[in-house]
């Protein structure tokens, strides 16, 4: 029925046929030009194409100064029973807190507290409270800005701890935390704490002493992971 109508309309109005052909040509030409990158009126574009050209907001890069650095002295003897030497390097006076046998879930909870809690973990006392004292032993050192010396940390022998169990483990051998010692420095630097998880060999796992991963905590409650040159598969250690 529709075909009969169009034929009848064509016989009495050739202009209708010419108009339809012209419109089809314009639409086809617009689609071809769009495929080859030419500008096409928005009304002729599909909704998917319109969404794809929405500009992506720019992300600004901000340079910040990290006042903390920590290395593990691997040349000497290091073990859970003998201890380990750490080499901190700070731009300002700071406090090095070594938490032996820190609980894995306790550390994760403390980092979440820093990100979402009302107070940020900028002092050793706040970090201890965030851990809920879920560690075997804590040893602290006061580091000056010019200090480049190694600091030897060890668990007391009377604790009787020689290893941290089989894999997967519920405790890290050492969690070393660097915080700024002076309140004026905490107001100056955007980075207020450095958290380093250190593996120390014991009777159950003899992998040499090394840094497993490090986090930087900011005054705004953000947390950034430092990428190490040597990657260790953490899933096999915890």
């Amino acid at each position: 029925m529709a075909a009969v109508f169009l034929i009848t309309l064509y016989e009495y109005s050739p202009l209708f046929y010419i108009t339809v052909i012209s419109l089809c040509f314009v639409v086809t030409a617009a689609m071809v030009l769009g495929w080859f990158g030419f500008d096409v009126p928005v009304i002729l574009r599909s909704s998917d194409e319109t969404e794809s050209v929405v500009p992506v907001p720019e992300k600004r890069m901000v340079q910040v100064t990290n006042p903390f650095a920590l290395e593990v002295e691997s040349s000497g003897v290091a073990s859970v029973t003998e201890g380990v030497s750490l080499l901190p390097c700070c731009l300002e006076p700071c406090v090095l807190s070594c938490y032996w046998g820190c609980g894995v879930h306790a550390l994760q909870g403390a980092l979440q507290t820093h990100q979402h809690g009302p107070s940020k973990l900028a002092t050793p006392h706040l970090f201890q409270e965030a851990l809920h004292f879920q560690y075997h032993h804590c040893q602290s050192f006061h580091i000056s800005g010019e200090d480049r010396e190694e600091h030897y940390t060890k668990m007391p022998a009377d604790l009787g701890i020689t290893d941290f169990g089989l894999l997967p483990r519920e405790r890290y051998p050492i969690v070393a935390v660097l915080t700024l010692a002076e309140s004026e420095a905490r107001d100056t630097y955007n980075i207020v704490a450095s958290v380093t998880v250190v593996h120390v060999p014991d009777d159950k796992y003899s992998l040499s002493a090394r840094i497993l991963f490090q986090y930087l905590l900011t005054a705004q409650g953000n947390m950034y992971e430092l990428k190490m040159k040597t990657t260790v598969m953490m899933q096999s250690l915890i």
Side-chain angles (χ1 to χ4, degrees):
M1 192 68 181
V4 175
F5 173 76
L6 291 176
I7 293 174
T8 305
L9 187 61
Y10 165 72
E11 291 176 352
Y12 290 95
S13 180
L15 182 61
F16 172 77
Y17 180 76
I18 297 174
T19 303
V20 172
I21 295 299
S22 300
L23 181 61
C24 293
F25 174 78
V26 171
V27 173
T28 303
M31 294 176 62
V32 172
L33 291 176
W35 288 337
F36 284 94
F38 294 95
D39 191 20
V40 180
V42 177
I43 194 173
L44 297 178
R45 299 177 183 174
S46 65
S47 59
D48 294 338
E49 183 182 356
T50 304
E51 294 176 357
S52 64
V53 297
V54 175
V56 178
E58 296 182 359
K59 292 185 178 180
R60 297 181 58 188
M61 296 185 64
V62 180
Q63 181 177 359
V64 296
T65 301
N66 176 20
F68 308 110
L70 183 71
E71 297 180 3
V72 176
E73 180 55 48
S74 57
S75 59
V77 177
S79 67
V80 170
T81 55
E82 298 297 330
V84 65
S85 294
L86 302 178
L87 179 60
C89 180
C90 304
L91 300 180
E92 302 285 345
C94 62
V95 178
L96 171 61
S97 303
C98 300
Y99 300 95
W100 282 88
C102 180
V104 173
H105 297 295
L107 177 60
Q108 294 174 351
L111 296 177
Q112 291 179 1
T113 298
H114 176 79
Q115 292 178 287
H116 308 293
S119 60
K120 307 312 172 188
L121 307 184
T123 66
H125 178 69
L126 292 174
F127 206 93
Q128 283 184 340
E129 289 186 341
L131 289 175
H132 299 288
F133 301 94
Q134 297 296 312
Y135 51 85
H136 292 317
H137 175 66
C138 178
Q139 187 175 8
S140 299
F141 304 90
H142 290 273
I143 315 297
S144 65
E146 296 80 18
D147 191 352
R148 297 296 184 272
E149 297 180 357
E150 296 179 5
H151 293 269
Y152 181 75
T153 178
K154 179 183 177 181
M155 278 193 302
D158 56 9
L159 292 179
I161 298 175
T162 59
D163 61 73
F164 293 102
L166 299 174
L167 305 180
R169 292 180 167 178
E170 298 181 353
R171 294 181 180 272
Y172 293 121
I174 299 180
V175 174
V177 180
L178 284 168
T179 53
L180 295 168
E182 301 174 355
S183 58
E184 294 80 6
R186 290 193 288 271
D187 296 333
T188 303
Y189 291 92
N190 184 43
I191 298 173
V192 295
S194 168
V195 181
T196 305
V197 176
V198 180
H199 172 74
V200 181
D202 57 29
D203 295 340
K204 295 293 193 301
Y205 201 81
S206 59
L207 182 70
S208 61
R210 64 189 64 192
I211 292 176
L212 300 181
F213 45 78
Q214 291 180 301
Y215 296 107
L216 297 179
L217 309 184
T218 70
Q220 293 75 32
N222 297 320
M223 181 180 70
Y224 301 98
E225 183 178 359
L226 287 178
K227 299 298 183 182
M228 308 301 298
K229 293 182 179 179
T230 303
T231 303
V232 179
M233 296 302 294
M234 290 303 305
Q235 290 80 358
S236 65
L237 297 181
I238 59 175

